[in-house]
Amino acid sequence: MFTEINGLKINYIAEGDGQQSVLLLHGWGSNIKLFSYIIKHLSTGFKVFAPDMPGFGESDEPSVPWSVDDYTDFVIAFCEKMGIGRCFIIGHSFGGRVIIKMMSRSSLPFSVDRIVLTDSAGIRPKQTVKKKIRSRIYKIGKKILSSKLVAKIAPNAMENFRRKNGSADYNAASPIMRQCLVKVVNEDLTPLISNINAPTLLIWGDKDDATPLSDGQMMEKLIPDAGLVVFEGSGHYAFLEQGERFCRILDSFFKNN
């Protein structure tokens, strides 16, 4: 289904007819299709909502580079448009980042009863000496290759340099979404995590190399009412790799509300 929010065409799913709403927020470079198994499971007892956030799936890209705050504003506007008064929220990776930011707002037009963060982003990794050197080299190379002279002599040099040195997410993104990604990953949300005041379940793959298990352990310490479940052998997509187990845990967590 499609709706319009702030001039953008947004693809979303709304399934189920339960009285309690569940909102699902996907990760960076992903879309709502990855939640298919969870949506099918939860829609038997809940009203489930899942939007393709702007720039992902079948939703329009923002016209200017967005920050985490902009995506937070979008999610709030989406909930208002869907008539969500109270909900449970599940966020994977970037979706978790948006939830952290949203729960730090002084007020929301709806209430959040329970939160599930799975392999969530939000904690900025420490810069090792190796990473600092690589970042410095990249900035110097980018400056040189962006010059008019180089662009004239070797017009593809800058793009080839990006492909070689950029992350998979960065290389797969459009120019606007690349700028969004830079804004998003450079913001450390660690100081905001303790503002989450709803009971929170953290589900993490112990083999996650994108948002390591240490991030989940840190969030468990910082969130006042949180518990961590570790999926042994799973990576960054623990909810996909062990879908049945993930849903059983959701059932238990949501049932005790």
Side-chain angles (χ1 to χ4, degrees):
M1 293 186 285
F2 289 92
T3 188
E4 185 176 301
I5 296 178
N6 298 331
L8 298 177
K9 184 180 178 183
I10 301 299
N11 179 48
Y12 73 99
I13 288 174
E15 292 188 9
D17 55 6
Q19 292 187 347
Q20 176 71 51
S21 295
V22 179
L23 174 67
L24 290 91
L25 301 178
H26 62 75
W28 191 272
S30 183
N31 57 68
I32 55 180
K33 291 180 180 177
L34 268 67
F35 286 138
S36 296
Y37 184 85
I38 299 172
I39 292 171
K40 183 179 179 181
H41 177 83
L42 291 177
S43 61
T44 58
F46 300 94
K47 181 70 173 181
V48 184
F49 296 91
D52 273 337
M53 288 193 274
F56 304 101
E58 297 179 50
S59 291
D60 287 345
E61 287 188 358
S63 57
V64 296
W66 276 16
S67 64
V68 183
D69 274 309
D70 294 315
Y71 277 100
T72 303
D73 290 340
F74 161 78
V75 171
I76 292 171
F78 175 81
C79 289
E80 288 187 287
K81 188 140 193 181
M82 296 296 111
I84 297 173
R86 58 189 312 125
C87 64
F88 299 148
I89 305 182
I90 302 170
H92 171 244
S93 195
F94 172 64
R97 192 187 290 270
V98 173
I99 291 170
I100 293 169
K101 179 71 80 164
M102 185 168 66
M103 296 305 293
S104 295
R105 296 287 177 92
S106 58
S107 63
L108 294 171
F110 51 86
S111 61
V112 178
D113 296 329
R114 300 222 158 195
I115 295 170
V116 177
L117 299 176
T118 178
D119 298 291
S120 175
I123 296 176
R124 187 176 180 180
K126 292 181 179 178
Q127 284 283 77
T128 62
V129 174
K130 185 177 179 180
K131 285 183 179 179
K132 287 180 180 179
I133 293 172
R134 185 176 177 182
S135 176
R136 181 63 178 163
I137 291 172
Y138 179 79
K139 288 178 181 178
I140 293 171
K142 184 179 177 182
K143 186 175 181 180
I144 294 170
L145 294 174
S146 297
S147 68
K148 291 181 180 179
L149 179 61
V150 173
K152 186 176 181 179
I153 298 171
N156 297 321
M158 188 64 236
E159 186 60 30
N160 291 335
F161 181 73
R162 280 199 187 104
R163 288 199 189 101
K164 185 177 180 181
N165 294 278
S167 67
D169 282 337
Y170 186 84
N171 289 330
S174 69
I176 280 287
M177 296 309 293
R178 284 176 180 173
Q179 293 178 67
C180 291
L181 180 59
V182 171
K183 280 191 168 189
V184 165
V185 300
N186 283 328
E187 185 174 5
D188 183 14
L189 302 185
T190 304
L192 304 181
I193 294 173
S194 60
N195 293 332
I196 297 176
N197 57 11
T200 302
L201 177 63
L202 304 159
I203 302 178
W204 236 268
D206 67 345
K207 305 300 182 186
D208 188 342
D209 57 4
T211 53
L213 178 58
S214 58
D215 286 3
Q217 293 167 335
M218 176 65 74
M219 289 185 187
E220 184 184 25
K221 291 178 181 177
L222 293 174
I223 299 171
D225 185 3
L228 174 65
V229 177
V230 179
F231 281 16
E232 296 80 5
S234 288
H236 189 55
Y237 291 85
F239 73 94
L240 281 177
E241 296 172 50
Q242 299 190 46
E244 186 176 341
R245 180 186 179 192
F246 187 88
C247 286
R248 286 201 309 269
I249 292 171
L250 290 184
D251 290 342
S252 177
F253 184 57
F254 290 162
K255 182 177 65 179
N256 292 326
N257 182 55

